[in-house]
Amino acid sequence: MHRRDMIFGGLAVAASAVLAGCGDSAAGSGGPGGSGLRIGYQRFGGLSLVKARSAYADATWSLFESGPALTEALKAGAIDLGQTGEAPPIFAAAAKIPFVIAGTSAPVPKREAVLVKKARGFKTFADLRGRTVALNKGSNVHWLLVRLLEAHKMTLPDLTVKYLKPAEGRPAFDNDQVDAWIIWDPYFALAEQPGVQVLADATGLANNREYILVSPDAAEKKAEKVKAFLQAYRTTTDWGIANAAERARILAPELKIDEPVTARALARSAQPLAALTPAVGDELQAIADGFTKLGLIPGSVDMKAHIDSRFSAELQ
């Protein structure tokens, strides 16, 4: 097993080919013309565990580096469903990408954080005024940035923001091309090297829920398969929370990350799935309104119109 400080190097080299796009990696009948589900996933968390345990067989799996890339696949009709953080559905709605939200998770605020070098002497987020901050545009960390600015009475012009994908953000951070990196697990856990400091996470600022997005076509024509998948997803997630050590052992090879890093990331990130409620709809709408106010998305979007409660029973 490679040492932790060597892992991301290999991951970053392969990131453009492996993480940035998508590639079918598990056989099923979900491909073109098939009746199974085409599932988009990111290399971490619940969906990766479902895939690693073969908990749902009738599927074809496609890997994505980030939520925005996954929603583009929804737009192209390349996948039937996938999971993202809280910001990608909003940017997707603003881009007129059709989808429904079938479920969510309990809050996961510790899964995303602002990382800085200890040697730079930053004590609070306010110390980054006038500095360069990197993050993935349209991802969950984008909302964390907004909330951090509000909490410290700052505005976007107070920072120089570089929109970098994870595979670009890590080397920029390592080489001091940026002063801070706002990132999520497992990239967060991989970057926790000696000399790296967590300046802030989302606790008290953003719930950082995960959302399950389904194409309208699949929600109608494959509704029973979506329900069966969500049942398997819920059961697998619950099993993983109850069996943390075994979960890390199974996921480490899937994630291509060693077990200690996997276990540390999952300890702060794994949460049970949850059915959609009016309060969750209000929360997502408030985030969308915040992006609109800052001009980060064009005009207003009605996020409540995307919530589909027909699958809620599978997540209760």
Side-chain angles (χ1 to χ4, degrees):
M1 185 72 67
H2 294 293
R3 293 194 310 273
R4 186 175 65 186
D5 60 348
M6 298 174 61
I7 294 168
F8 198 91
L11 182 61
V13 170
S16 297
V18 178
L19 289 176
C22 66
D24 292 342
S25 56
S29 59
S35 60
L37 290 178
R38 299 169 301 162
I39 301 172
Y41 75 107
Q42 299 178 61
R43 184 168 276 159
F44 192 63
L47 287 187
S48 288
L49 186 60
V50 174
K51 178 179 177 292
R53 296 192 78 209
S54 300
Y56 185 81
D58 194 11
T60 300
W61 296 81
S62 295
L63 176 65
F64 296 87
E65 183 183 20
S66 65
L70 190 149
T71 59
E72 282 298 314
L74 276 173
K75 178 181 179 180
I79 58 174
D80 295 316
L81 66 84
Q83 184 184 60
T84 75
E86 56 203 358
I90 294 167
F91 279 78
K96 311 299 183 186
I97 297 175
F99 65 92
V100 298
I101 301 172
T104 186
S105 72
V108 201
K110 293 185 179 297
R111 184 178 175 176
E112 56 181 358
V114 182
L115 303 183
V116 297
K117 299 287 184 64
K118 291 180 181 178
R120 305 298 294 275
F122 301 123
K123 301 300 182 184
T124 72
F125 186 80
D127 294 335
L128 295 175
R129 189 183 301 269
R131 303 288 186 162
T132 301
V133 176
L135 68 145
N136 193 89
K137 185 176 182 179
S139 289
N140 53 336
V141 291
H142 209 151
W143 180 240
L144 176 56
L145 171 65
V146 172
R147 296 290 288 126
L148 284 162
L149 290 170
E150 291 176 352
H152 293 86
K153 296 180 173 53
M154 297 165 66
T155 62
L156 277 172
D158 289 326
L159 302 172
T160 297
V161 179
K162 283 192 174 182
Y163 293 123
L164 302 177
K165 296 177 181 179
E168 301 165 330
R170 176 63 188 272
F173 178 67
D174 285 349
N175 296 322
D176 295 322
Q177 295 169 350
V178 298
D179 297 292
W181 187 29
I182 311 180
I183 192 59
W184 64 88
D185 276 320
Y187 305 102
F188 171 13
L190 283 162
E192 288 182 287
Q193 304 292 327
V196 172
Q197 168 188 348
V198 176
L199 194 64
D201 62 25
T203 301
L205 296 170
N207 279 331
N208 191 34
R209 298 180 191 271
E210 295 180 350
Y211 289 91
I212 303 165
L213 311 185
V214 183
S215 75
D217 190 59
E220 293 295 333
K221 297 179 181 178
K222 299 181 180 180
E224 294 308 310
K225 291 184 180 294
V226 173
K227 290 179 180 179
F229 172 77
L230 291 176
Q231 289 172 351
Y233 188 12
R234 183 198 63 195
T235 300
T236 302
T237 299
D238 291 346
W239 175 88
I241 292 170
N243 298 273
E246 182 68 4
R247 176 185 61 195
R249 186 191 67 78
I250 291 172
L251 269 180
E254 174 70 27
L255 302 177
K256 296 180 172 58
I257 300 172
D258 68 9
E259 282 190 42
V261 176
T262 300
R264 184 174 69 254
L266 287 167
R268 64 185 170 221
S269 300
Q271 292 291 335
L273 299 179
L276 296 167
T277 64
V280 170
D282 291 341
E283 180 183 311
L284 196 57
Q285 187 62 51
I287 297 171
D289 293 344
F291 281 132
T292 299
K293 182 179 179 181
L294 290 172
L296 293 171
I297 58 173
S300 299
V301 294
D302 182 2
M303 294 309 300
K304 293 183 181 181
H306 289 272
I307 290 178
D308 192 331
S309 61
R310 84 182 89 175
F311 303 108
S312 289
E314 278 64 45
L315 300 177
Q316 292 174 340

